[in-house]
Amino acid sequence: MSADTPHRYNQPLGGNDMPRFGGPATMMRLPTQSSAAGLDACFVGVPMDIGASNRAGTRHGPRAIRAESCMLRPFNMGTGAAPFDHMQVADIGDIAINTFNLKATADIITAAYDDILGHACVPLTLGGDHTLTYPILRAIAKRYGPVALIQVDAHADTSDAMFGEKIAHGTPFRRAFEEDLLINDKVFQIGLRGTGYSPSDYDWGRERGFTVVPAEQCWHKSLAPLMGDIRERIGDAPLYLTYDIDSLDPAFAPGTGTVEIGGLTTIQALEIVRGVKGLNLVGGDLVEVSPPYDSSGNTALIGANLLYEMLCSLPKAWS
Ligand code: MN
Ligand code: MN
């Protein structure tokens, strides 16, 4: 399509029309709008860190991801995806959470996603600490029923409570299980590692049907075969993809709150996110980017790229 042909869908502002360090501070410098009306997919921020247990700072994640996303161009040279030729996409801004009240924040998030999903829009979320996935899944399950889940993370996030609190960034998938938001034998936790509270920490999920793929099983190899197996097992079930940036090795992504060594590479991250293409992906998030610990900006930049790759993996990106 030539530069003078009008586009049918929103386009990211190009790097030859405005310097990349200027222009709107939206995801990929896309247009913004106040609701998801008319959109096939949206980028949306949840600026929270009140569920984090160690280093804070993820409240600044969405803004940093948007800032670094200014580098992204519309076409995916690796996969051939042209998402902005096939979908209407915009940045709908941030959810107005209550930063003094985590439980109220969870309800605010669910209500906001009820609205997004009511427009038949696929939400791609810029986090924010990992607590946010639980209230999103409540809304997702209301619309689609229980979903398959791919969780890429250094941690299982299946604790029962943290300091007696049931809602926190270490508990979202325990709550999701208890509320029947998941198809348990289609839950895949990839990249788990580090020190634990007991040698059997990962068994809680396994005993409930989850498939746990510890980081050690990912070392030194392509994850494309794993994703092939996962695609087969998920089939046509609706799928939610939650990507915790701490799944990556801190050599790549140091800007996060609960760092673990021996993590995934950015190449493996691409294999995972590209590996969900062909599945019925109904939403995704990228969580735990903490800009105060991200002196180069590269953690946020990786996050921006992985969110773009999620967009490229949506069914509508290829129709
Ligand atoms: Mn997590
Ligand atoms: Mn984690």
Side-chain angles (χ1 to χ4, degrees), residues 150-188:
I150 297 176
Q151 176 197 357
V152 194
D153 202 325
H155 312 97
D157 296 349
T158 53
S159 294
D160 183 40
M162 301 181 92
F163 284 89
E165 294 294 329
K166 294 280 194 179
I167 296 180
H169 80 158
T171 69
F173 305 107
R174 173 81 70 122
R175 298 288 90 77
F177 166 81
E178 289 170 350
E179 295 181 25
D180 297 324
L181 310 182
L182 305 174
I183 305 170
N184 298 323
D185 63 356
K186 296 182 194 289
V187 173
F188 299 88

Side-chain angles (χ1 to χ4, degrees), residues 2-308:
S2 89
D4 347 315
T5 317
H7 288 279
R8 181 165 169 206
Y9 298 116
N10 290 341
Q11 299 294 308
L13 180 57
N16 294 313
D17 298 317
M18 167 66 77
R20 293 216 168 267
F21 39 85
T26 57
M27 184 68 181
M28 293 189 75
R29 309 196 304 176
L30 283 161
T32 185
Q33 61 181 63
S34 59
S35 85
L39 300 180
D40 297 306
C42 68
F43 292 108
V44 53
V46 182
M48 67 182 292
D49 57 11
I50 52 173
S53 55
N54 188 31
R55 299 172 179 171
T58 59
R59 67 179 61 187
H60 304 294
R63 188 158 283 183
I65 292 168
R66 287 187 176 103
E68 295 298 336
S69 76
C70 71
M71 190 60 214
L72 295 173
R73 308 170 191 90
F75 296 102
N76 191 322
M77 304 309 288
T79 66
F84 305 104
D85 287 358
H86 299 281
M87 292 187 287
Q88 185 69 310
V89 186
D91 184 334
I92 64 164
D94 292 327
I95 307 302
I97 62 134
N98 177 344
T99 199
F100 304 112
N101 188 325
L102 185 50
K103 287 177 188 141
T105 288
D107 291 338
I108 290 167
I109 293 170
T110 300
Y113 282 74
D114 284 341
D115 186 66
I116 293 168
L117 296 166
H119 293 290
C121 174
V122 175
L124 298 174
T125 300
L126 292 59
D129 75 65
H130 218 162
T131 313
L132 61 86
T133 306
Y134 160 58
I136 292 174
L137 285 171
R138 290 194 301 206
I140 289 274
K142 262 188 258 177
R143 180 166 181 90
Y144 297 103
V147 291
L149 180 78
I150 297 176
Q151 176 197 357
V152 194
D153 202 325
H155 312 97
D157 296 349
T158 53
S159 294
D160 183 40
M162 301 181 92
F163 284 89
E165 294 294 329
K166 294 280 194 179
I167 296 180
H169 80 158
T171 69
F173 305 107
R174 173 81 70 122
R175 298 288 90 77
F177 166 81
E178 289 170 350
E179 295 181 25
D180 297 324
L181 310 182
L182 305 174
I183 305 170
N184 298 323
D185 63 356
K186 296 182 194 289
V187 173
F188 299 88
Q189 299 181 298
I190 304 171
L192 275 54
R193 63 188 188 272
T195 50
Y197 287 107
S198 84
S200 56
D201 277 3
Y202 303 155
D203 292 345
W204 185 90
R206 287 184 173 124
E207 286 160 7
R208 281 148 189 87
F210 297 5
T211 300
V212 177
V213 185
E216 286 80 358
Q217 287 179 25
C218 303
W219 287 356
H220 314 300
K221 63 169 95 148
S222 166
L223 297 187
L226 169 70
M227 294 311 296
D229 292 344
I230 289 175
R231 279 197 302 277
E232 215 162 275
R233 286 185 50 194
I234 290 178
D236 55 10
L239 166 68
Y240 189 86
L241 172 60
T242 182
Y243 201 105
D244 186 328
I245 201 75
D246 71 25
S247 60
L248 290 168
D249 191 86
F252 299 101
T256 191
T258 40
V259 166
E260 309 288 355
I261 68 169
L264 305 183
T265 66
T266 51
I267 295 171
Q268 291 174 315
L270 287 172
E271 288 175 330
I272 293 169
V273 181
R274 291 177 180 180
V276 304
K277 183 192 157 197
L279 296 176
N280 181 19
L281 185 62
V282 298
D285 60 52
L286 189 293
V287 298
E288 297 285 350
V289 170
S290 180
Y293 295 91
D294 189 24
S295 55
S296 69
N298 285 352
T299 310
L301 185 142
I302 294 167
N305 273 274
L306 294 178
L307 283 158
Y308 168 73

